[in-house]
Amino acid sequence: MRTILVVGGGYAGFYTAWKLEKKLRRGEARVIVVDPRPYMTYQPFLPEVLAGSVESRHAAVSLRRHLRKTKVIAGRVTAIDHANRTATVRPAVGPAFSVGYDIVVVTAGAVTRKLAIPGVADQAIGMKHVEEAVAIRDRLLTAFDQASALEPGPLRRRLLTVTFVGGGFSGVEGFGELLSLATSLQKTSYPELSPDELNFHLVEARDRILPEVSDRPGRWVVRSLEKRGARVHRNAELLSARNGHVVLSTGAEFDSELIVWTVGNAANPMVRSHTDLPIDQSGMLTVRADLRVGTGTGPGAAPVPDAWGAGDDATVPDLAAKRAGAATVPNAQNAVRQGKLLASNIVATLRGRNPKPYVHHSLGTIATLGIGRGIFQYRGLVIKGFPAWLMHRGYHLLAVPTWERKIRVLAVWCTAALFGRDIVSLASVQHPREAFLADAELTPVPTAVPVHA
Ligand SMILES: Cc1cc2nc3c(=O)[nH]c(=O)nc-3n(C[C@H](O)[C@H](O)[C@H](O)COP(=O)(O)OP(=O)(O)OC[C@H]3O[C@@H](n4cnc5c(N)ncnc54)[C@H](O)[C@@H]3O)c2cc1C
């Protein structure tokens, strides 16, 4: 029986394996998914995880629960030797081992782009993973608690200052959602703090934010954030964040307790440097329109036998675009559809049929900007505010995989609408022994009473 190895069980990998389970006949091939995380992260929910509107575990779709016929290996693929049809896997504990395969599917996604700016590595938190979203929310909630016990002054101002670096899609969504949480916290639960003490800074190097929408709706988003008290710094680069002191190229400087890094993606280092599969200048796998890895992405590119790729780690030709040489946008819309087609194409080739090319016409862009606020654009059609936010929720409820996830997410939205969001910081889970040790310090150690004969 042939072995299909899927490297990375995120959006594209999860959907490839899920569809393969449904399409493969008994005994036709076995599927293995390798991922260091035991779940697929539904990244579009991360901004709502920040804001406490989506429960963190509901943005994590368990691989073992939903891929019943697939072998799931918890580990990181550190190298792919396609000439010998072998991948090296490093588990979290224990020695590395090799996994042989007949067909490889490379869907390892991208990583957060890092820039060597002083202080960023020590201070900033990314926003690509569930644990980062949970930590950002807990930091904000903890900062509110700490600030409320202080007199107004520099420390209290720092605690109530939040900075997002990067005004792309995920940055703007996360910023809008966290601003919405902070504003409602101040109103409903922290009478000691005044609204003008909240300092929310969004820093963007270009002259506009949210490049996924056109200029006018982009300007509307800036105005709408500014009306809510936020400061949007355009044409501004972060020069330093040492010890939480933010210095911008515009001359602005301020202390910020929370710095969130949302400057976009870089190529996956494993794909870029540790495979013998072809990559382009940016370190992305070169994939043909039929999703087979190719010697290039154009129509004349030869396929690499038994190698497929999709999602954020691959350059896939965009046949729906009018521009020659255009590549599909790295987003979930494409990753899901590429994963599904990839499974159909593998099954087709196993049965001697030809694979089909990937063609997807964008469904438009939709972003949440916090509870009750959003923006949608499809070509010339722009919808703003509450209707766009409702559409955002509706779209993602339909899009999140499995009924079980949809029901869990909907239940949390309904209970939050009735009772509000949970506002307790559980940052202390990072240090569970602290409570235990602190208790031990207060409790006197019983000493043995000497017994005299
Ligand atoms: C905050 C945020 C919000 C977003 N919102 C939207 C949205 O509203 N709409 C939209 O269309 N897109 C959105 N996106 C983008 C979308 O989530 C990504 O484009 C999509 O997840 C890409 O899918 P993928 O399978 O290529 O990569 P991923 O989903 O990132 O999956 C890659 C997987 O590979 C694993 N992996 C990595 N390296 C290795 C290795 N060496 N070995 C084994 N496994 C490995 C990772 O653990 C991960 O599970 C958002 C992204 C973010 C960060």
Side-chain angles (χ1 to χ4, degrees), residues 6-14 34-37 39-47 75-78 107-111 127-129 169-171 173-174 265 268 270-271 310-314 329-336 366-367 392 395-396:
V6 180
V7 179
Y11 257 101
F14 174 82
V34 183
D35 199 303
R37 293 165 196 276
Y39 53 85
M40 172 264 218
T41 307
Y42 192 83
Q43 290 175 356
F45 274 153
L46 294 183
R76 183 173 293 279
V77 170
T78 52
T107 46
V111 296
M127 213 186 78
K128 207 171 165 50
H129 302 293
F169 193 86
S170 58
E173 283 202 310
N265 286 342
N268 187 302
M270 189 279 294
V271 174
D312 284 7
D313 65 4
V329 178
N331 63 18
Q333 246 186 71
N334 283 311
V336 169
I366 190 152
H392 179 269
Y395 173 80
H396 285 296

Side-chain angles (χ1 to χ4, degrees), residues 121-426:
D122 305 323
Q123 301 292 329
I125 306 180
M127 213 186 78
K128 207 171 165 50
H129 302 293
V130 176
E131 62 274 23
E132 292 171 327
V134 172
I136 293 168
R137 173 175 177 227
D138 277 344
R139 287 258 190 115
L140 183 88
L141 298 175
T142 305
F144 264 70
D145 278 336
Q146 292 172 341
S148 64
L150 295 173
E151 289 300 316
L155 184 52
R156 175 156 148 163
R157 191 172 325 115
R158 176 190 166 113
L159 286 165
L160 297 174
T161 302
V162 172
T163 307
F164 272 63
V165 186
F169 193 86
S170 58
V172 170
E173 283 202 310
F175 187 78
E177 282 287 347
L178 204 64
L179 177 60
S180 154
L181 171 65
T183 313
S184 95
L185 270 182
Q186 184 279 320
K187 257 193 215 143
T188 58
S189 311
Y190 288 85
E192 310 87 327
L193 307 176
S194 84
D196 43 288
E197 282 185 280
L198 295 182
N199 301 297
F200 267 67
H201 298 270
L202 177 63
V203 179
E204 168 55 51
R206 282 169 293 191
D207 61 351
R208 50 159 310 175
I209 61 167
L210 214 57
E212 292 80 358
V213 300
S214 49
D215 281 354
R216 269 182 70 178
R219 285 198 295 273
W220 177 84
V221 173
V222 172
R223 280 199 305 278
S224 132
L225 291 171
E226 286 177 342
K227 260 193 219 152
R228 293 159 65 192
R231 180 95 198 271
V232 180
H233 304 259
R234 281 166 289 168
N235 296 310
E237 285 179 35
L238 178 69
L239 299 181
S240 171
R242 214 176 263 133
N243 300 322
H245 183 69
V246 172
V247 182
L248 302 184
S249 57
T250 52
E253 287 190 35
F254 47 87
D255 286 334
S256 182
E257 180 67 7
L258 182 55
I259 301 173
V260 184
W261 183 252
T262 51
V263 297
N265 286 342
N268 187 302
M270 189 279 294
V271 174
R272 194 188 55 218
S273 313
H274 301 284
T275 83
D276 52 358
L277 294 168
I279 52 167
D280 63 16
Q281 284 169 338
S282 352
M284 309 279 272
L285 207 59
T286 48
V287 168
R288 294 159 30 113
D290 60 9
L291 304 178
R292 281 191 279 193
V293 175
T295 50
T297 55
V304 173
D306 307 323
W308 301 76
D312 284 7
D313 65 4
T315 301
V316 180
D318 187 352
L319 301 187
K322 297 199 176 83
R323 273 178 305 119
T328 56
V329 178
N331 63 18
Q333 246 186 71
N334 283 311
V336 169
R337 287 165 182 82
Q338 289 171 0
K340 289 180 184 172
L341 179 71
L342 208 159
S344 304
N345 279 352
I346 290 180
V347 172
T349 52
L350 287 175
R351 295 177 191 164
R353 295 199 307 268
N354 284 333
K356 290 189 179 142
Y358 176 73
V359 187
H360 171 63
H361 295 270
S362 168
L363 303 174
T365 299
I366 190 152
T368 170
L369 302 170
I371 288 199
R373 300 176 176 93
I375 182 123
F376 167 79
Q377 181 169 22
Y378 177 70
R379 300 187 180 168
L381 173 70
V382 177
I383 300 176
K384 299 180 255 188
F386 188 72
W389 175 78
L390 269 187
M391 287 165 67
H392 179 269
R393 283 210 159 173
Y395 173 80
H396 285 296
L397 197 62
L398 291 176
V400 68
T402 81
W403 278 103
E404 173 253 358
R405 275 313 80 175
K406 293 180 207 300
I407 292 166
R408 285 181 196 267
V409 170
L410 185 62
V412 173
W413 282 344
C414 293
T415 45
L418 287 176
F419 306 113
R421 298 178 267 202
D422 271 322
I423 59 159
V424 173
S425 164
L426 286 183

